[in-house]
Amino acid sequence: MSNSKNLIDTEQRLGAHNYKPLDVVLTRGEGVYVWDTDGKQYLDCLSAYSAVNQGHCHPKILAAMVEQAGKLTLTSRAFRNDQLAHLYEELAALTGSHKILPMNSGAEAVETAIKAVRKWGYEVKGVPEGKAEIIVCADNFHGRTLSIISFSTDPDARTGFGPYTPGFRTIPFGDADAFAASINENTVAALIEPIQGEAGVIIPPSGYFKRVRELCTENKVTLILDEIQTGLGRTGKLLAEEHEGIEADVTLIGKALSGGFYPVSAVLSNSEVLGVLKPGQHGSTFGGNPLACAVARAALKVLTEEGMIENAEKMGNYFLEGLRSIRSNIVKDVRGRGLMMAVELVPEAGGARQYCYTLKDRGLLAKDTHENTIRLAPPLVITKSQVDWAVEQIEKTLA
Ligand SMILES: Cc1ncc(COP(=O)(O)O)c(C=O)c1O
């Protein structure tokens, strides 16, 4: 029995089966490539759900992590550390935020925003206690905690986990009229993904977010954009909101904030919303720790200084062009923005997963989502010849 077979069997026997991974056991990564335990090389077109935008094991992030790990890793927020202020400063300069709250996972950033906007609603907007409503979109994905799955419309994510957290109003994604109609005097916020990633890279109609922004401003509703997947260069801009020509009141980032080294997330906001949180009202032992801050600082630095965002735009356009040139009667749609792309297959194709296995055999790792869609999101350091190679494998697989 090969080593990878042993490892898979052990995982299956001892681990909870809350994931259904492709059976490839990875042991090493560098740039856009990963290698399995048999030494086979793959081009990674998932990037750990866009957490590895900077490429696997980026040497400068690694160096920052190792250096900081040898100095100081965790103080808790009971004391201050000499990295957090620098991360605040650098994030504020990059994004124009006035207040920042560091957390660990993406879901924690979402939970933090929900708490903050509810409190803001009661204390600033004057919503009666316990009545705050947050508008969310159908087919959203914001994480896996109880409050978050309470407003999921995916039965797999939600069913069986009640009782659910109340206070959310669900409307269709991309429908500005439905958005307008859902606002009432108790609406404190809208929580939206700029592009719905897990739903299959769903891009809203142009002008949608402009109207949403106007409606939020007119009705004193906090616009929260979940950029945990779309942010930090993935779509060819630092934040996907830039494509829409708008600015959110609260922006959530995570994943690539550490380049995949370590869970780091953050809530970026204006002063009014995060200003409502007082000592003792929110926190996390690991949030804002010096190791996380040092890693995040390096991750942001290489993202901006090494031209990764510009490359995402250029290579994204080139990749999409290549995908659109594929002649196959099982392709229903090709869509994307920057290096956040999807190929949707016709239902008769029999599901995207089998094609992901064929791609794996050809040395390309991608993940199926929502039955018929193959999602493609390589690290932002991908080159033209690597895109050419990837398109060739996808073409041969779908032909
Ligand atoms: C848009 C979005 N929000 C939130 C999350 C949750 O992040 P995490 O898995 O780090 O909790 C994800 C993860 O895929 C995501 O894509």
Side-chain angles (χ1 to χ4, degrees):
M1 200 155 59
S2 77
N3 186 29
S4 66
K5 172 98 176 56
N6 267 329
L7 293 170
I8 291 168
D9 287 350
T10 306
E11 259 193 43
Q12 287 303 105
R13 186 164 47 81
L14 294 177
H17 294 180
N18 57 327
Y19 277 92
K20 197 176 163 199
L22 291 191
D23 283 337
V24 55
V25 183
L26 302 172
T27 184
R28 191 163 77 80
E30 189 183 328
V32 297
Y33 294 115
V34 285
W35 287 266
D36 72 12
T37 46
D38 298 322
K40 183 174 159 79
Q41 175 181 291
Y42 303 88
L43 198 158
D44 181 3
C45 278
L46 184 67
S47 307
Y49 297 100
S50 294
V52 193
N53 284 0
Q54 295 87 338
H56 289 275
C57 298
H58 192 292
K60 288 186 183 156
I61 311 176
L62 175 64
M65 184 167 187
V66 170
E67 191 193 336
Q68 187 61 42
K71 284 207 302 206
L72 183 68
T73 56
L74 182 64
T75 56
S76 82
R77 296 290 301 281
F79 311 114
R80 298 182 190 268
N81 71 68
D82 68 357
Q83 290 297 310
L84 182 58
H86 293 299
L87 176 62
Y88 283 162
E89 232 165 22
E90 287 155 16
L91 264 177
L94 201 58
T95 62
S97 312
H98 298 124
K99 280 260 178 282
I100 300 165
L101 200 162
M103 294 297 284
N104 310 288
S105 67
E108 279 178 306
V110 175
E111 289 277 348
T112 303
I114 292 171
K115 283 178 68 178
V117 294
R118 281 181 168 185
K119 201 154 191 295
W120 170 86
Y122 302 132
E123 292 180 5
V124 180
K125 186 169 176 175
V127 171
E129 185 63 35
K131 297 283 185 210
E133 276 186 21
I134 298 173
I135 299 170
V136 296
C137 291
D139 301 321
N140 68 71
F141 187 85
H142 297 286
R144 299 291 194 175
T145 62
L146 254 181
S147 288
I148 294 172
I149 61 100
S150 293
F151 57 84
S152 173
T153 57
D154 175 358
D156 284 341
R158 190 175 193 274
T159 308
F161 300 116
Y164 302 106
T165 306
F168 301 96
R169 186 181 285 260
T170 307
I171 57 166
F173 181 64
D175 182 341
D177 292 335
F179 188 87
S182 69
I183 298 174
N184 64 42
E185 68 280 8
N186 295 331
T187 308
V188 296
L191 168 63
I192 314 181
E193 297 158 86
I195 296 171
Q196 290 190 323
E198 299 307 298
V201 187
I202 310 297
I203 301 171
S206 82
Y208 169 68
F209 273 108
K210 271 235 157 72
R211 180 102 192 279
V212 164
R213 175 67 274 180
E214 283 164 14
L215 288 162
C216 286
T217 306
E218 281 164 21
N219 295 281
K220 212 169 166 43
V221 170
T222 304
L223 176 58
I224 310 167
L225 288 185
D226 179 345
E227 297 245 21
I228 290 163
Q229 190 165 145
T230 55
L232 304 179
R234 173 53 55 193
T235 69
K237 302 273 185 206
L238 178 73
L239 296 173
E241 69 174 15
E242 295 170 47
H243 293 288
E244 312 291 343
I246 60 152
E247 272 184 43
D249 301 304
V250 173
T251 300
L252 311 178
I253 55 173
K255 293 190 192 276
L257 185 51
S258 75
F261 277 82
Y262 194 91
V264 189
S265 65
V267 179
L268 312 174
S269 145
N270 54 31
S271 307
E272 201 177 81
V273 174
L274 279 180
V276 300
L277 294 177
K278 299 287 179 299
Q281 295 175 347
H282 193 63
S284 150
T285 303
F286 278 81
N289 74 70
L291 183 59
C293 293
V295 167
R297 293 179 65 199
L300 291 171
K301 193 159 190 266
V302 302
L303 190 74
T304 50
E305 287 185 359
E306 297 183 10
M308 292 181 193
I309 304 173
E310 296 77 13
N311 193 57
E313 184 182 16
K314 233 195 291 165
M315 288 303 111
N317 289 336
Y318 185 63
F319 207 140
L320 269 176
E321 213 177 281
L323 292 173
R324 290 196 171 116
S325 74
I326 292 175
R327 292 289 151 250
S328 160
N329 53 11
I330 59 166
V331 174
K332 183 176 167 198
D333 188 30
V334 172
R335 54 183 176 263
R337 190 164 273 169
L339 283 168
M340 186 170 182
M341 303 166 290
V343 177
E344 186 178 343
L345 307 179
V346 296
E348 301 78 56
R353 193 173 172 87
Q354 56 179 307
Y355 299 96
C356 290
Y357 265 107
T358 311
L359 286 168
K360 173 183 97 68
D361 293 341
R362 288 185 168 279
L364 187 151
L365 291 182
K367 188 74 173 65
D368 52 307
T369 181
H370 280 252
E371 210 62 45
N372 296 316
T373 302
I374 304 172
R375 198 195 339 202
L376 296 160
L380 310 186
V381 295
I382 195 166
T383 64
K384 200 160 178 256
S385 60
Q386 289 163 343
V387 172
D388 288 335
W389 180 87
V391 171
E392 191 186 327
Q393 306 319 309
I394 296 165
E395 183 162 29
K396 284 180 176 153
T397 301
L398 301 179

